[in-house]
Amino acid sequence: MKITVNGAEHELASPPLTSLLNALRDELNVTGPKVGCQGGNCGTCTVLVDGEPRRSCLLPLAMVDGAEVTTIEGLGTPKRMHPMQAAFHFYYGSQCGFCAPGMITASVALLERNPNPTRKQIQNALGGHICRCTGYVKIIDAVEAVARGESFDGAELTRSRGGEATPKGASA
Amino acid sequence: MKAIGARLPRYEGAGHVTGQTLFVDDIRLPQGNLWAKALRSPHHSARITSFDASKAASLPGVHAIITHADVPRNVFGHLAFLGVPADEPLLAVDEVRYLGQPIAAVAADSEEAAQAAVDAIEVEYEEREPLFDMRKAFDPDAPKAHHWGNWLPYFGGELENAGPDRRRIRKGDLEWAFEKADTIVKGVYRPAAIEHAPLETQVALAVPEPSGRMVVYSCTQAMHFSAGHVAAHLGVPLNGVKLVSSAVGGGFGGKVDSSSDTIAAVLALKTERPVKWRWTREEEFLCSGTRAAWHIEVADAVTKDGWILGRKTLTLHDAGAYLRHSSYATTKHTFHCAGAYTIPNVSFLAFAVFTNRVPSTAMRGFGVTSTSFLAEMQVNRIAKVLDLDPYEVRLKNANRIGDTMPNTVVLKDPSTVPVVQAIAEHAGIELAPEYKAMTWEPRTGAVLPEWLVEQQAKGGQD
Amino acid sequence: MSHTPVVLTPASADQAVSAFGDGSGVTVIGGGTIVMPEIAGRRASFSKALLLSGAGLAGITRQGGVVRIGAATTLQALIGATPDPLSTAAQRVGDYEIRGQATIGGNLCAGPGRETPRGDLQAPLIALAASVRTAGAGGEQVQPVEDFLESGPAGRLVLEVEFSEPTRGAYTSMGRPHTHVYTVLSVACAETPEGLRVAIGGAGPTGARAPSVERALADGASVEDAAARVLDDVEPQDDALASAWYRRKALPALVARALADIGKESG
Ligand SMILES: Cc1cc2nc3c(=O)[nH]c(=O)nc-3n(C[C@H](O)[C@H](O)[C@H](O)COP(=O)(O)OP(=O)(O)OC[C@H]3O[C@@H](n4cnc5c(N)ncnc54)[C@H](O)[C@@H]3O)c2cc1C
Ligand code: FES
Ligand code: FES
């Protein structure tokens, strides 16, 4: 079995019913997608499979043979964040960080299929994703900000000390 | 002072949103690691009549099976540093007291192999009737939940030279208050146990160093506390362990006493190999500590214009099967039974009760959330019974500067008054002018009836 | 898994049918949203798995007023592309990710859940008077969905379901607020060529038809009176989501709402 993960092609040795999540983490050492429940219930293992968001814990490898997989790591890096990552960072949409890999990939996919979602539609799209820390409001704020076209200066955001980061295009 | 009021990016935020933060389960060692699984009690209460791990030990891929006999110091108390005696074994010895209690643990080449070995351990149990309802703990024929009895036999002191078996706070003259009262308002409150359900389950990676030092990558919320535990169970001084703090995928109190660190460390000690133990979601739900359940009975002596003259409480705290932090939580609870209000005459009584439920532990507020609940519910109830505005009852009885709390603390800056006023404002409630003008300055006769001023002044330690 | 099961990945419906044989020792994986957690939680062990995702069993076709849906069609694909009550029922299952992977075949074969009801499409398919085409010992077989649910999926490979386009349909369900947990209770009704049909989800091990409600309506009973008859047809259970008591209280109101939605005047 073969899959492409974040642009790199891999031949997999794990047995065919291994979940994509376990193969990513344990065989390929791609640890961005997290293990929260192994049962489809929490959303933190969500990745993009051929552009569609999927729970990687529910997908047997045999079902994704040949697929193109994008994980949270494939979206951007601390210095070159995807706008959704930057928005989660700026709006404090991530507290402990454990749900972010799934929340962010699912949110990216949401805006792909619906560039202007209402708050309700965002809630609905993320309703299968559990966050035990933030209370969700800031997560939804972040997704709305990206939909509004706010952009963030990554360099500014990664600074951990000394001043205020301002999103470009945000109303004061 | 650049930081105050500024919008600062989260310190570890960039790693979180890019998937680069390393949680314990994300850590990979060049030498690899063994995997742990635990044999957990299938019963709420039972004697272990036989235990045989020989078949399990001979299964392929199994490196070690540990029981209580392998733990250098099996019984260690979570509050040992406060002089609280120990009651909880790391691995069960000859009895189990809650469903999910660890009895043995296996280190193997894979999680599957470890689980297969756990399944192959032969154990026989003699089941006992479990105790679930704390209210029944005091019945003479109640099932026995703990070797100390069904409630903590001492608060403070040594076990041999036992202190009182209850936490008690008394202040003022309760009898006077109940005599003087126009009405008695009673309430029973039973906040339930709550599982923290952090998104990251407990995970630990223990790595023995050639020097003999044990390194543990831990998801603990309480680094030094956990380091103390690991060292104590391993029977080494503090410098014999090094805990590496990883990111914590949510804790909320439930990762204060993470036994995953210790059991992984004992397995690493025995195998001389790194061992990783990650709990399943089921284990996290069934076997990790919860916020305690409480049973609280309250009677308030109140005047018809809404002054709370006295409060009497009886609290049962559900410690679960072992003490952990329960004496602390019960004490904290008892201190705060007046809530954010100044009640001149009180008698608070609390027991830490043992049951056959999972041991309870810290969770956001640690014994105090239950008191806030009881105090606020009582105010609402008093207002309802007397047909008064609940905001006004709150403001009347609010803590003021210089008031003495039941635990003898004299308040310097109690925020009840401004907080209640702010809540009223945000909720669009129009307060009467004298309540709007109220401040946290010491009470004067203008608001307080003369005889109560006198009482307040009299109020103090028992 | 101590030993790795054989995984069969047929590339056509015919290959799937012959790989399935009489079904003995074969575990079918449609979307895997039920099977995979069973494997992870060590509640399932089997020696042979049959993966349907590449077998060409997905797709919706319409011909002469008949709608045919392949067993491996995902729930997401049903939304908007099939009539109510099926479309809305599919919309309310899980979240986008689950619906994109879960199949209608898996939903029909879901079996009673351990803690919650599942198989939310069963009641809509009953209401639509759907029939199920399956393969297995003795070859292919077509039977009404109620009969299929009654005998259970053992030994049968679901190939497709079909039903006549209804003139109207309605689906009401009760979930829990804020999250995508399983449905507590649901009511599906459809105006089919053979009359109005009503079916209930979440009040028994599988979806179930409500003949007493249908009969009462046919006899001219009011919507409320007819709805109250639902308790003659199902026996709600306690589970992790709701008590039987609660379900008994809520169900007649839910039936009345579904009937109102399909255009039955109340009173
Ligand atoms: C987070 C989450 C939320 C969910 N919410 C809901 C919900 O709201 N409502 C609901 O109804 N369900 C829900 N489910 C359960 C499940 O996703 C659905 O019931 C789904 O339709 C099952 O389909 P599947 O193809 O994924 O099933 P599978 O896991 O592939 O199979 C389920 C069962 O059916 C058998 N099977 C599958 N296809 C066939 C076939 N063609 N022929 C014969 N046997 C077959 C399998 O052997 C297995 O026994 C949820 C699941 C998760 C993880
Ligand atoms: S780990 Fe996949 S949904 Fe929780
Ligand atoms: S930030 Fe902790 S679970 Fe969402």
Side-chain angles (χ1 to χ4, degrees), chain A residues 25-26 29 31 34 36 72 77-78 85 89-90 92 94-99 104 130 132 157 159 163-165, chain B residues 7-11 13-14 16-20 23 25-26 28 195-197 199-200 248-250 252 278 281:
Chain A
R25 293 181 54 84
D26 296 343
N29 289 323
T31 56
K34 303 287 174 237
I72 184 78
T77 58
Q85 293 172 316
H89 189 27
F90 183 79
Y92 307 104
S94 161
Q95 199 167 313
C96 80
F98 211 77
C99 66
I104 291 172
I130 293 174
R132 290 290 287 162
L157 282 169
R159 270 216 328 258
E164 195 155 342
Chain B
R7 193 184 172 92
L8 296 175
R10 269 191 82 83
Y11 178 68
H16 287 359
V17 300
T18 53
Q20 295 195 8
F23 293 86
D25 195 24
D26 301 334
R28 303 286 182 269
E195 161 58 33
H196 315 77
L199 211 47
E200 175 205 40
V248 181
F252 321 116
R278 42 186 189 189
R281 179 54 59 193

Side-chain angles (χ1 to χ4, degrees), chain C:
Chain C
M1 279 162 291
S2 38
H3 58 98
T4 307
V6 179
V7 180
L8 308 168
T9 51
S12 71
D14 288 344
Q15 282 181 17
V17 170
S18 59
F20 183 75
D22 65 0
S24 58
V26 181
T27 292
V28 180
I29 299 182
T33 60
I34 289 176
V35 177
M36 289 298 284
E38 296 290 305
I39 296 175
R42 299 190 311 124
R43 293 181 294 271
S45 76
F46 46 81
S47 52
K48 210 194 279 176
L50 176 65
L51 224 71
L52 295 184
S53 54
L57 283 169
I60 304 169
T61 56
R62 283 187 158 80
Q63 206 177 23
V66 174
V67 183
R68 284 201 178 78
I69 305 169
T73 308
T74 65
L75 306 200
Q76 190 62 28
L78 300 178
I79 301 169
T82 58
D84 265 339
L86 190 58
S87 174
T88 303
Q91 171 85 60
R92 293 194 189 161
V93 170
D95 69 352
Y96 182 82
E97 284 107 88
I98 299 295
R99 292 191 298 269
Q101 188 179 336
T103 69
I104 189 171
N107 201 284
L108 257 185
C109 300
R114 280 190 309 152
E115 303 89 2
T116 67
R118 60 187 186 193
D120 285 359
L121 304 188
Q122 295 167 4
L125 289 170
I126 295 170
L128 288 164
S131 53
V132 189
R133 190 160 64 85
T134 62
E140 278 193 21
Q141 184 178 315
V142 178
Q143 62 188 143
V145 65
E146 288 142 274
D147 296 354
F148 174 77
L149 290 172
E150 172 96 41
S151 55
R156 305 307 301 175
L157 173 68
V158 177
L159 298 173
E160 65 176 13
V161 297
E162 62 166 66
F163 52 84
S164 299
E165 198 85 59
T167 43
R168 276 181 204 209
Y171 182 78
T172 358
S173 65
M174 207 165 75
R176 284 186 142 185
H178 311 313
T179 54
H180 289 305
V181 291
Y182 291 71
T183 313
V184 176
L185 268 180
S186 61
V187 180
C189 28
E191 200 75 67
T192 70
E194 49 182 277
L196 176 70
R197 291 169 59 102
V198 181
I200 312 300
T206 64
R209 195 170 168 189
S212 311
V213 180
E214 294 171 7
R215 231 177 293 121
L217 284 171
D219 293 346
S222 71
V223 162
E224 284 72 22
D225 288 347
R229 301 298 301 277
V230 69
L231 297 176
D232 297 345
D233 296 325
V234 291
E235 209 167 305
Q237 73 289 2
D238 285 327
D239 64 22
L241 286 186
S243 65
W245 175 89
Y246 181 77
R247 286 193 164 96
R248 276 196 299 272
K249 289 274 178 211
L251 191 50
L254 212 59
V255 172
R257 205 179 297 163
L259 291 174
D261 285 351
I262 204 174
K264 291 277 160 201
E265 297 290 330
S266 68

